[in-house]
Amino acid sequence: MSEIKIDTINALPEGFSSKINADGAEALATLQSQSGAGNDFLGWLNLPNEYSDADLAEIENATRVFEGCEFVVCIGIGGSYLGAKAVVEALSDSFAAFKPSKAPRILFAGQNISEDYLFELQELLADSRFGIIVISKSGTTTEPAIAFRLLKAQLEANVGKKEAANLIVAITDARRGALRQLATEEGYRTFVIADNVGGRFSVLSPVGLLPIAVAGFDIRALLKGASVMAAKTSADSDENAALTYAKARNALYRSGKKIEILVNYNPKLHFLAEWWKQLYGESEGKEHKGIFPASVDNSTDLHSMGQWIQDGERSIFETVITVEEQRHSLSIPSDEANLDGLNYIASRRIDEVNKMAELGTRIAHIDGGVPNLKISLPKIDEYNLGALLYFFEKGCGISGYMLGVNPFNQPGVEDYKRNMFALLRKPGYEAESEAIAKKL
Ligand code: PA5
């Protein structure tokens, strides 16, 4: 079976050398020995190997709760939604919303507080049978709590309180938080997010696995890919792709490249990049340090961001995800009149043209002073996505330690919440309300 590879050729700055290699080895050792900052949040490291057959059967069986549902709404934000969204989007037909489906359609809510979004969602669900997976590790996050209050009320109004309780699954802390209490009182089926697995590292926990299974995808293959990647990324060797990635991005950062753009040439990977942005942004953006994670979907963004990337400030590098094998095959037809002048590529695969756009861009960007790392993904399937998710998680842990931060906390995320609660006059925030009022 081919595997994920990373290519750093022509990308590394002068001086990518003994210091970076030593720092990478030390960061990897700290991670593997679980002796560094945030080491109480390393449950994700061995997660792919920890499921018994019974654990997986329990998740797979839980999908039956939603049999007969047209929609299942996953409610969550940040790490409690992006992993599932990334995998479901990557594996789904691009036009799944307009084609018949045996599995329920997965919708997301709680990741914003848009009145229009929630109103329109409720309108869509009004005449449909639907279920809810509500996910919050803390069980107290405002955005998902609002969405859940609305949709729970709607579901209860539609099918009655007792039947609604059968159509709701909660994924939360084992003991703490409002969601745990609510789930216990209402008698919902629940799954636990382990204490030692942080939100953005939780895609391979029930947080990601249940929605992915409900969408009809093979969570065992996903975990298998992750497990194989875990074994390949534990030792300090040139074969350790996650270590190579962490070292390369830190070498580039130290040489002044402060922004990393994750590039794809396949729109199915759009939300994979959103997941990656959270993973790296929330893990590394601390103490006024950290690479800013950005992303583009090409060719689309070559016609919007392409100019900036080619010619703008030279503070960026790119990491391109190239998908080696497509799921389908389609060639460019020949046309006798050739009015569009495309006969020179007639009978060539669309993917060959896409790959030439990718290669041409890579060469142009390198020539323009944008270092390019390349990650090769054999194809977009469960096995390879599992491997890719774990690869990025491992790379993130190593990279965060190389940067000198605790990659497993997120102190900055609390600041906006404090202000929002102060502005909304939440009980317990009286002093903050008074202080913020003076700034208005
Ligand atoms: O990575 C994280 O920890 C965060 O992004 C959380 O996942 C996010 O804030 C949602 O938190 P919770 O699951 O507690 O509602």
Side-chain angles (χ1 to χ4, degrees), residues 41 75-82 110 135-145 171-172 179 193 197-202 207 278-279 282-283 408-410 413-414 416-417:
F41 280 99
I75 298 179
I77 193 166
S80 290
Y81 112 96
L82 277 166
I135 307 171
S136 178
K137 183 173 178 182
S138 63
T140 55
T141 309
T142 310
E143 290 88 343
I171 307 179
T172 188
L179 181 57
I193 311 175
V197 177
R200 60 192 173 277
F201 288 86
S202 69
V207 169
Q278 188 212 356
L279 181 65
E282 216 166 89
S283 299
F408 307 112
N409 64 6
Q410 55 283 329
V413 180
E414 298 308 313
Y416 97 90
K417 292 185 192 167

Side-chain angles (χ1 to χ4, degrees), residues 38-78:
N39 60 358
D40 44 348
F41 280 99
L42 293 180
W44 59 271
L45 262 180
N46 198 36
L47 200 52
N49 299 316
E50 278 179 357
Y51 293 94
S52 66
D53 194 52
D55 293 333
L56 293 175
E58 196 188 338
I59 296 174
E60 287 159 346
N61 286 338
T63 65
R64 298 213 189 110
V65 164
F66 304 114
E67 260 166 23
C69 286
E70 189 180 350
F71 298 107
V72 171
V73 187
C74 291
I75 298 179
I77 193 166

Side-chain angles (χ1 to χ4, degrees), residues 85-292:
K85 176 83 175 163
V87 174
V88 171
E89 290 280 318
L91 294 173
S92 294
D93 185 295
S94 307
F95 301 97
F98 308 102
K99 295 181 180 177
S101 165
K102 278 197 218 121
R105 295 172 197 285
I106 308 295
L107 305 173
F108 292 88
Q111 81 281 34
N112 62 56
I113 335 175
S114 160
E115 190 160 332
D116 285 349
Y117 184 95
L118 288 165
F119 183 93
E120 287 160 14
L121 176 62
Q122 287 206 295
E123 253 186 350
L124 174 72
L125 298 173
D127 301 317
S128 313
R129 183 170 171 83
F130 73 95
I132 299 173
I133 302 174
V134 55
I135 307 171
S136 178
K137 183 173 178 182
S138 63
T140 55
T141 309
T142 310
E143 290 88 343
I146 292 170
F148 185 53
R149 182 181 274 218
L150 280 167
L151 295 187
K152 173 180 182 289
Q154 183 174 13
L155 190 57
E156 288 175 353
N158 282 5
V159 298
K161 200 167 166 62
K162 191 153 171 267
E163 174 62 358
N166 294 330
L167 289 167
I168 296 173
V169 178
I171 307 179
T172 188
D173 185 89
R175 293 168 298 278
R176 290 179 298 261
L179 181 57
R180 167 57 57 186
Q181 201 184 335
L182 206 156
T184 307
E185 271 173 33
E186 302 280 7
Y188 301 152
R189 188 169 187 147
T190 60
F191 287 90
V192 169
I193 311 175
D195 279 348
N196 62 358
V197 177
R200 60 192 173 277
F201 288 86
S202 69
V203 56
L204 299 172
S205 79
V207 169
L209 296 180
L210 180 62
I212 292 165
V214 171
F217 300 115
D218 181 354
I219 56 172
R220 290 176 194 252
L222 191 83
L223 288 169
K224 177 77 187 150
S227 165
V228 169
M229 184 55 78
K232 282 185 185 156
T233 54
S234 60
D236 177 13
S237 92
D238 290 344
E239 307 307 309
N240 185 336
L243 176 61
T244 303
Y245 177 51
K247 288 196 291 191
R249 62 198 301 282
N250 275 279
L252 289 161
Y253 181 64
R254 291 177 195 183
S255 77
K257 302 297 183 190
K258 306 289 187 191
I259 300 166
E260 177 177 9
I261 306 177
L262 191 71
V263 184
N264 72 72
Y265 285 78
N266 192 318
K268 286 183 194 293
L269 296 181
H270 175 83
F271 271 95
L272 192 278
E274 297 303 313
W275 170 83
W276 170 88
K277 283 195 275 195
Q278 188 212 356
L279 181 65
Y280 281 79
E282 216 166 89
S283 299
E284 292 196 318
K286 284 159 202 171
E287 301 166 30
H288 297 175
K289 295 191 276 193
I291 296 170
F292 183 81

Side-chain angles (χ1 to χ4, degrees), residues 344-355:
Y344 80 105
I345 46 173
S347 81
R348 298 237 189 107
R349 291 269 309 268
I350 301 280
D351 192 48
E352 186 187 341
V353 180
N354 200 25
K355 293 280 192 314

